[in-house]
Amino acid sequence: MKKIAFLILGLLILSGCGLYTDIEGQIEQTTPKITLKSSPSTKRKPSRTDFKWNGLVASAEHPAPQDFLNYQTIVQVKHPEKIQIAVQKKVKLGIMESAYLSDMVLTMIPESGEDVTEISLKELESGVWQFQVPSKPGKYMYILKEFYGVGLEIGYYVTYYFGLEVTN
């Protein structure tokens, strides 16, 4: 009887510890924390657009900068300000399996919608990157795409966007 009870208890524990199936929870782990270097308490939560995660795919058209910047609350920053982006380098898929950040691409689109520019990110420490805001005052939409891989394979990505208004 004790063996049967132990076996049932073991099965219950193992079944509860299977693959992490909450896709929203997995994707939420990848949400970047965006702050101003001079005031880390000023946080900007980006909006998620499209993703491919654990077999699920959601595609979204990126809004035009004017549409995005007219309807989103954006953070005002001074010209010489630096922005920090903190991203999880390891995302748990289950007890035994994890996905690792393999690449990030940050693109900037000015309010005019012209001159789309890829922005280089400088890694300050593990999981924290930084970039300089543009010198020209105006509103800018940023698109951050994070790529995650399991082993040598790149299998997941999540895309976020956020806005900044640069002042003198």
Side-chain angles (χ1 to χ4, degrees):
M1 189 66 158
K2 287 183 183 179
K3 288 182 182 178
I4 294 173
F6 184 76
L7 183 61
I8 291 172
L9 182 61
L11 286 173
L12 286 174
I13 290 171
L14 285 175
S15 66
C17 299
L19 282 179
Y20 192 77
T21 55
D22 179 13
I23 301 298
E24 282 296 313
Q26 284 178 316
I27 294 172
E28 202 58 39
Q29 292 178 69
T30 66
T31 304
K33 309 292 182 281
I34 299 168
T35 57
L36 303 180
K37 185 179 181 195
S38 63
S39 90
S41 59
T42 304
K43 292 185 177 154
R44 179 79 193 101
K45 180 157 182 169
S47 304
R48 187 172 72 238
T49 59
D50 58 332
F51 64 88
K52 177 182 175 199
W53 200 263
N54 254 6
L56 287 183
V57 178
S59 295
E61 299 247 348
H62 296 298
Q66 294 91 341
D67 295 340
F68 170 76
L69 294 168
N70 287 339
Y71 297 108
Q72 296 286 324
T73 303
I74 61 174
V75 173
Q76 281 195 343
V77 295
K78 298 281 185 199
H79 154 60
E81 185 65 80
K82 290 187 169 90
I83 307 294
Q84 291 186 344
I85 300 175
V87 172
Q88 291 283 344
K89 286 189 134 185
K90 176 183 175 184
V91 177
K92 291 190 80 60
L93 301 179
I95 289 181
M96 306 296 280
E97 193 175 12
S98 297
Y100 294 87
L101 183 69
S102 58
D103 194 18
M104 282 196 315
V105 176
L106 179 65
T107 306
M108 178 191 71
I109 307 171
E111 189 173 17
S112 66
E114 300 168 6
D115 300 326
V116 175
T117 310
E118 192 170 306
I119 303 295
S120 60
L121 293 164
K122 175 184 174 187
E123 189 167 11
L124 298 179
E125 57 189 73
S126 181
V128 179
W129 286 264
Q130 179 177 279
F131 70 93
Q132 176 86 39
V133 299
S135 56
K136 186 177 174 185
K139 293 181 180 180
Y140 298 89
M141 183 175 100
Y142 288 85
I143 300 172
L144 179 69
K145 196 159 194 170
E146 303 170 17
F147 298 92
Y148 286 85
V150 179
L152 298 174
E153 183 181 317
I154 296 176
Y156 306 111
Y157 72 83
V158 190
T159 306
Y160 296 94
Y161 56 88
F162 59 97
L164 299 174
E165 181 175 11
V166 178
T167 62
N168 288 327

